[in-house]
Amino acid sequence: MKQFKQLLPILSIALIIFSGCASGPQLPAPAPVQAESAEWNLTLLHTNDMHASFVPERATWRRDRAYVGGIAALQSHIDEQRDLSTASFLLDAGDFMTGNPICEIETDGIKGAGWIDMMGQLGYDASVIGNHEFDLGRENARALEKRATFPLMALDVYNESGKLEFPDQPLIIKRGDIKIGIIGISCDGLFDVVADKRIKGITLIDQAPLIRQWAAKTDSKTDLLVVLSHNGLEQDQVLAADLEGSGVDLIVGGHSHSRLYEPVKIGNIIIVQAGAKTQNLGRLDMVIDKDRIISYKEQLIQVVSEDRTGRPEMEQLVSQYTAAVENEYGKVIGQLANDWKRSRKRESNVGNWMADQLRIAAGADIGLINSGTIRKNMMAGPITLMDVEAMLPFSNILETFEADADLVRKIVQENAQAAVDGRHGILQISGLAYRFSIVDEKAIIKMITVGGEPLDSGKIYTIACPDYVVSKSDVYFDSES
């Protein structure tokens, strides 16, 4: 297998110059049980999936197109909400990395150190390691954990020695007269969404039995027991059902980018999530009595940044890293003649173009790129390195491999079936064309060509793609139809 050491973002940047060219579900929830004129005695403030969004962005969905998000404005809103609370604590549900070039800037030998320093200024009580914390590898994730001034938890992630990769016990904190237990877990589908080599040697422990084990040790010592999870809303609902009767009261979630304006309640367990990219701050007010939540009320506070400033130390960090990012990534490198619109279910112009460039750069017969690696649409106009980093934030490597006609057929069959049933995002393709029909929700392949010629059973083809696609060959190349 031949490797090209250029990262995909760098490859794309170079090629764009010559070109002409997890939001998640918003599910309804049962109305919360609320006390009349409730006097809340505990407030949870929560974030998730911030993806290093440390500067605000214009909210094109708002009529006033105000700027929303950013770490300084988030700090201002958090401070304000703390002042409005009897007692409060602050949690983050992971995927704070990947999405802005600040994660690529190295400080003291750690990529993303400036961003983790900013998070420390917010006064988090705890966060969890999500899947994107591994995008720069295990060593960098561990270095971030050591640098953080707050616990980064993942009690289900074990290393080669059978020991926990990150802090090894739940956290117990006290706010007012209330003791809060926090059990942090990572992403149940970690191996499905992270390239294998970035988490090589890691083992995941089954979450529900693990949480029950810790809950049995922690519940009697606390008044509120919280699971901090990066599973996504759908899986958290499954987990909540499995944890009924365990003593767990609340799941603070991430991964699916779900904006829950009201909590989802499964049995006696409440689930909250606050969207993504520092655009919202979740606030859950509760009355805690006799080891349970008597009443509650959730709201999502939009982090409007206009007329908001952070504390001086935060503003200094934001200015420092804004200048560093702008200096390295703010240069205009080309003009895009037409809008680029991505799609996970069908071929897209940006997906086809990127697959073309991978194929051409590698001198391959076929180019493939997974739709999920393209993270942002791009409008016609000037292009900067920042735009490319936002569109392709992952440090993937271009790889080539050889495939006979049978393997090409399997890739085509799986891709067509994924387009039919949505089992995963399709691969965007170059140099390869096929036609299929649908019979009883089954993709029936009618024709395959490579380079405009019919697929040749006696030929070996060279395929170029990101290393992530190769590592997930069981998904993209040959999963069960």
Short mmCIF file of all heavy atoms in Angstrom, two decimals, residues 191-226:
data_model
loop_
_atom_site.label_atom_id
_atom_site.label_comp_id
_atom_site.label_asym_id
_atom_site.label_seq_id
_atom_site.Cartn_x
_atom_site.Cartn_y
_atom_site.Cartn_z
N PHE A 191 -15.05 3.20 17.37
CA PHE A 191 -14.31 2.51 16.32
C PHE A 191 -14.95 2.67 14.94
O PHE A 191 -14.32 2.36 13.93
CB PHE A 191 -14.16 1.02 16.67
CG PHE A 191 -13.30 0.79 17.87
CD1 PHE A 191 -13.87 0.37 19.08
CD2 PHE A 191 -11.95 1.01 17.82
CE1 PHE A 191 -13.09 0.16 20.20
CE2 PHE A 191 -11.15 0.80 18.94
CZ PHE A 191 -11.72 0.38 20.13
N ASP A 192 -16.18 3.13 14.91
CA ASP A 192 -16.85 3.35 13.63
C ASP A 192 -16.54 4.72 13.04
O ASP A 192 -16.73 4.94 11.84
CB ASP A 192 -18.37 3.23 13.79
CG ASP A 192 -18.80 1.84 14.21
OD1 ASP A 192 -18.14 0.87 13.78
OD2 ASP A 192 -19.78 1.72 14.97
N VAL A 193 -16.08 5.66 13.87
CA VAL A 193 -15.94 7.05 13.40
C VAL A 193 -14.52 7.59 13.53
O VAL A 193 -14.27 8.74 13.16
CB VAL A 193 -16.92 7.98 14.16
CG1 VAL A 193 -18.35 7.65 13.79
CG2 VAL A 193 -16.72 7.91 15.67
N VAL A 194 -13.58 6.81 14.03
CA VAL A 194 -12.19 7.24 14.15
C VAL A 194 -11.32 6.24 13.38
O VAL A 194 -11.51 5.03 13.50
CB VAL A 194 -11.74 7.31 15.62
CG1 VAL A 194 -10.27 7.75 15.71
CG2 VAL A 194 -12.62 8.28 16.41
N ALA A 195 -10.37 6.76 12.60
CA ALA A 195 -9.45 5.89 11.88
C ALA A 195 -8.73 4.97 12.86
O ALA A 195 -8.27 5.41 13.92
CB ALA A 195 -8.44 6.72 11.09
N ASP A 196 -8.62 3.71 12.50
CA ASP A 196 -8.10 2.69 13.42
C ASP A 196 -6.72 3.04 13.97
O ASP A 196 -6.44 2.82 15.16
CB ASP A 196 -8.02 1.34 12.71
CG ASP A 196 -9.39 0.80 12.33
OD1 ASP A 196 -10.39 1.33 12.85
OD2 ASP A 196 -9.47 -0.13 11.51
N LYS A 197 -5.84 3.58 13.14
CA LYS A 197 -4.48 3.82 13.60
C LYS A 197 -4.41 4.92 14.67
O LYS A 197 -3.45 4.97 15.44
CB LYS A 197 -3.57 4.18 12.42
CG LYS A 197 -3.87 5.52 11.77
CD LYS A 197 -2.91 5.75 10.62
CE LYS A 197 -3.18 7.09 9.95
NZ LYS A 197 -2.26 7.31 8.80
N ARG A 198 -5.43 5.77 14.73
CA ARG A 198 -5.41 6.85 15.73
C ARG A 198 -5.82 6.35 17.12
O ARG A 198 -5.58 7.01 18.11
CB ARG A 198 -6.31 7.99 15.28
CG ARG A 198 -5.78 8.70 14.04
CD ARG A 198 -6.65 9.88 13.63
NE ARG A 198 -6.04 10.60 12.52
CZ ARG A 198 -6.18 10.28 11.23
NH1 ARG A 198 -6.92 9.24 10.91
NH2 ARG A 198 -5.58 10.96 10.29
N ILE A 199 -6.47 5.19 17.17
CA ILE A 199 -6.88 4.63 18.46
C ILE A 199 -6.40 3.20 18.62
O ILE A 199 -6.96 2.42 19.39
CB ILE A 199 -8.42 4.72 18.66
CG1 ILE A 199 -9.16 4.16 17.45
CG2 ILE A 199 -8.84 6.16 18.92
CD1 ILE A 199 -10.67 4.11 17.63
N LYS A 200 -5.34 2.87 17.88
CA LYS A 200 -4.78 1.53 17.95
C LYS A 200 -4.37 1.21 19.38
O LYS A 200 -3.70 1.99 20.04
CB LYS A 200 -3.57 1.40 17.03
CG LYS A 200 -3.00 0.01 16.95
CD LYS A 200 -1.83 -0.06 15.98
CE LYS A 200 -1.25 -1.46 15.92
NZ LYS A 200 -0.10 -1.55 14.98
N GLY A 201 -4.78 0.04 19.88
CA GLY A 201 -4.45 -0.38 21.24
C GLY A 201 -5.51 -0.08 22.26
O GLY A 201 -5.47 -0.57 23.39
N ILE A 202 -6.50 0.71 21.87
CA ILE A 202 -7.57 1.08 22.81
C ILE A 202 -8.66 0.01 22.80
O ILE A 202 -8.98 -0.58 21.77
CB ILE A 202 -8.16 2.46 22.44
CG1 ILE A 202 -7.28 3.57 23.01
CG2 ILE A 202 -9.60 2.62 22.90
CD1 ILE A 202 -7.76 4.96 22.69
N THR A 203 -9.24 -0.21 23.96
CA THR A 203 -10.39 -1.12 24.11
C THR A 203 -11.53 -0.37 24.78
O THR A 203 -11.31 0.40 25.71
CB THR A 203 -10.01 -2.33 24.99
OG1 THR A 203 -8.92 -3.03 24.39
CG2 THR A 203 -11.18 -3.29 25.14
N LEU A 204 -12.74 -0.60 24.30
CA LEU A 204 -13.92 -0.01 24.91
C LEU A 204 -14.63 -1.04 25.77
O LEU A 204 -14.84 -2.18 25.35
CB LEU A 204 -14.90 0.50 23.85
CG LEU A 204 -14.52 1.77 23.08
CD1 LEU A 204 -15.63 2.11 22.09
CD2 LEU A 204 -14.27 2.94 24.01
N ILE A 205 -15.02 -0.63 26.98
CA ILE A 205 -15.76 -1.48 27.89
C ILE A 205 -17.26 -1.21 27.72
O ILE A 205 -17.67 -0.07 27.54
CB ILE A 205 -15.35 -1.21 29.36
CG1 ILE A 205 -13.84 -1.40 29.52
CG2 ILE A 205 -16.11 -2.11 30.31
CD1 ILE A 205 -13.33 -2.78 29.18
N ASP A 206 -18.06 -2.25 27.76
CA ASP A 206 -19.51 -2.11 27.63
C ASP A 206 -20.04 -1.11 28.65
O ASP A 206 -19.82 -1.24 29.85
CB ASP A 206 -20.17 -3.48 27.83
CG ASP A 206 -21.57 -3.53 27.27
OD1 ASP A 206 -21.93 -2.63 26.49
OD2 ASP A 206 -22.31 -4.47 27.61
N GLN A 207 -20.74 -0.09 28.17
CA GLN A 207 -21.04 1.07 29.01
C GLN A 207 -22.04 0.81 30.12
O GLN A 207 -21.82 1.21 31.28
CB GLN A 207 -21.54 2.23 28.13
CG GLN A 207 -20.47 2.82 27.24
CD GLN A 207 -21.00 3.93 26.36
OE1 GLN A 207 -22.22 4.09 26.19
NE2 GLN A 207 -20.11 4.70 25.78
N ALA A 208 -23.17 0.17 29.82
CA ALA A 208 -24.22 0.02 30.82
C ALA A 208 -23.75 -0.73 32.07
O ALA A 208 -23.95 -0.26 33.20
CB ALA A 208 -25.46 -0.63 30.22
N PRO A 209 -23.12 -1.91 31.93
CA PRO A 209 -22.63 -2.59 33.13
C PRO A 209 -21.58 -1.78 33.89
O PRO A 209 -21.55 -1.79 35.12
CB PRO A 209 -22.02 -3.89 32.58
CG PRO A 209 -22.65 -4.10 31.26
CD PRO A 209 -22.91 -2.73 30.72
N LEU A 210 -20.72 -1.08 33.13
CA LEU A 210 -19.70 -0.25 33.75
C LEU A 210 -20.33 0.86 34.59
O LEU A 210 -19.94 1.10 35.74
CB LEU A 210 -18.81 0.36 32.67
CG LEU A 210 -17.72 1.32 33.14
CD1 LEU A 210 -16.60 0.57 33.84
CD2 LEU A 210 -17.17 2.14 31.98
N ILE A 211 -21.33 1.54 34.02
CA ILE A 211 -21.99 2.63 34.74
C ILE A 211 -22.72 2.10 35.96
O ILE A 211 -22.70 2.70 37.04
CB ILE A 211 -22.95 3.39 33.80
CG1 ILE A 211 -22.15 4.12 32.71
CG2 ILE A 211 -23.80 4.39 34.59
CD1 ILE A 211 -23.01 4.66 31.59
N ARG A 212 -23.38 0.96 35.81
CA ARG A 212 -24.07 0.36 36.96
C ARG A 212 -23.08 0.06 38.09
O ARG A 212 -23.38 0.26 39.27
CB ARG A 212 -24.80 -0.91 36.54
CG ARG A 212 -26.12 -0.65 35.83
CD ARG A 212 -26.88 -1.93 35.57
NE ARG A 212 -28.22 -1.65 35.06
CZ ARG A 212 -29.28 -1.37 35.80
NH1 ARG A 212 -29.15 -1.36 37.14
NH2 ARG A 212 -30.45 -1.12 35.26
N GLN A 213 -21.91 -0.43 37.71
CA GLN A 213 -20.88 -0.73 38.70
C GLN A 213 -20.46 0.52 39.47
O GLN A 213 -20.40 0.53 40.70
CB GLN A 213 -19.67 -1.35 38.00
CG GLN A 213 -18.47 -1.59 38.91
CD GLN A 213 -17.25 -2.02 38.11
OE1 GLN A 213 -17.37 -2.52 36.99
NE2 GLN A 213 -16.08 -1.81 38.67
N TRP A 214 -20.18 1.60 38.71
CA TRP A 214 -19.78 2.84 39.36
C TRP A 214 -20.94 3.48 40.12
O TRP A 214 -20.75 4.07 41.19
CB TRP A 214 -19.22 3.81 38.34
CG TRP A 214 -17.81 3.52 37.92
CD1 TRP A 214 -17.36 3.17 36.67
CD2 TRP A 214 -16.65 3.56 38.75
NE1 TRP A 214 -16.01 2.98 36.68
CE2 TRP A 214 -15.54 3.23 37.95
CE3 TRP A 214 -16.44 3.86 40.09
CZ2 TRP A 214 -14.24 3.18 38.43
CZ3 TRP A 214 -15.14 3.81 40.58
CH2 TRP A 214 -14.06 3.47 39.77
N ALA A 215 -22.15 3.38 39.57
CA ALA A 215 -23.32 3.97 40.24
C ALA A 215 -23.55 3.32 41.59
O ALA A 215 -23.92 3.99 42.57
CB ALA A 215 -24.56 3.83 39.35
N ALA A 216 -23.34 2.00 41.66
CA ALA A 216 -23.53 1.29 42.93
C ALA A 216 -22.58 1.81 44.01
O ALA A 216 -22.92 1.81 45.19
CB ALA A 216 -23.31 -0.21 42.71
N LYS A 217 -21.40 2.27 43.58
CA LYS A 217 -20.42 2.78 44.53
C LYS A 217 -20.63 4.26 44.85
O LYS A 217 -20.15 4.76 45.87
CB LYS A 217 -19.01 2.60 43.97
CG LYS A 217 -18.61 1.15 43.74
CD LYS A 217 -17.22 1.08 43.11
CE LYS A 217 -16.80 -0.35 42.83
NZ LYS A 217 -15.46 -0.44 42.21
N THR A 218 -21.33 4.96 43.95
CA THR A 218 -21.39 6.42 44.03
C THR A 218 -22.73 6.95 44.49
O THR A 218 -22.82 8.00 45.15
CB THR A 218 -21.06 7.02 42.64
OG1 THR A 218 -19.84 6.45 42.15
CG2 THR A 218 -20.89 8.54 42.71
N ASP A 219 -23.82 6.24 44.16
CA ASP A 219 -25.16 6.78 44.40
C ASP A 219 -25.41 7.11 45.87
O ASP A 219 -25.99 8.15 46.20
CB ASP A 219 -26.21 5.79 43.89
CG ASP A 219 -27.61 6.38 43.91
OD1 ASP A 219 -27.74 7.59 43.68
OD2 ASP A 219 -28.56 5.63 44.18
N SER A 220 -24.96 6.24 46.77
CA SER A 220 -25.22 6.45 48.20
C SER A 220 -24.45 7.65 48.75
O SER A 220 -24.79 8.18 49.82
CB SER A 220 -24.86 5.20 48.99
OG SER A 220 -23.47 4.91 48.86
N LYS A 221 -23.44 8.10 48.02
CA LYS A 221 -22.61 9.22 48.48
C LYS A 221 -23.07 10.55 47.90
O LYS A 221 -22.50 11.59 48.20
CB LYS A 221 -21.14 8.99 48.09
CG LYS A 221 -20.54 7.69 48.61
CD LYS A 221 -19.14 7.50 48.05
CE LYS A 221 -18.55 6.16 48.44
NZ LYS A 221 -17.21 5.95 47.84
N THR A 222 -24.08 10.52 47.04
CA THR A 222 -24.48 11.72 46.30
C THR A 222 -25.99 11.94 46.35
O THR A 222 -26.76 11.03 46.66
CB THR A 222 -24.05 11.61 44.83
OG1 THR A 222 -24.69 10.48 44.23
CG2 THR A 222 -22.53 11.46 44.71
N ASP A 223 -26.39 13.16 46.00
CA ASP A 223 -27.80 13.51 45.88
C ASP A 223 -28.28 13.51 44.43
O ASP A 223 -29.47 13.41 44.16
CB ASP A 223 -28.04 14.90 46.48
CG ASP A 223 -27.56 15.00 47.91
OD1 ASP A 223 -28.12 14.28 48.76
OD2 ASP A 223 -26.62 15.77 48.18
N LEU A 224 -27.33 13.65 43.51
CA LEU A 224 -27.63 13.65 42.07
C LEU A 224 -26.53 12.88 41.37
O LEU A 224 -25.34 13.12 41.59
CB LEU A 224 -27.67 15.09 41.54
CG LEU A 224 -27.90 15.25 40.03
CD1 LEU A 224 -29.35 14.90 39.68
CD2 LEU A 224 -27.57 16.67 39.57
N LEU A 225 -26.92 11.93 40.50
CA LEU A 225 -25.94 11.12 39.79
C LEU A 225 -26.08 11.37 38.29
O LEU A 225 -27.12 11.12 37.70
CB LEU A 225 -26.14 9.63 40.10
CG LEU A 225 -25.04 8.68 39.62
CD1 LEU A 225 -23.66 9.12 40.11
CD2 LEU A 225 -25.33 7.25 40.09
N VAL A 226 -25.00 11.89 37.69
CA VAL A 226 -25.00 12.33 36.30
C VAL A 226 -24.07 11.45 35.48
O VAL A 226 -22.94 11.17 35.88
CB VAL A 226 -24.52 13.80 36.20
CG1 VAL A 226 -24.53 14.26 34.74
CG2 VAL A 226 -25.38 14.71 37.07
#
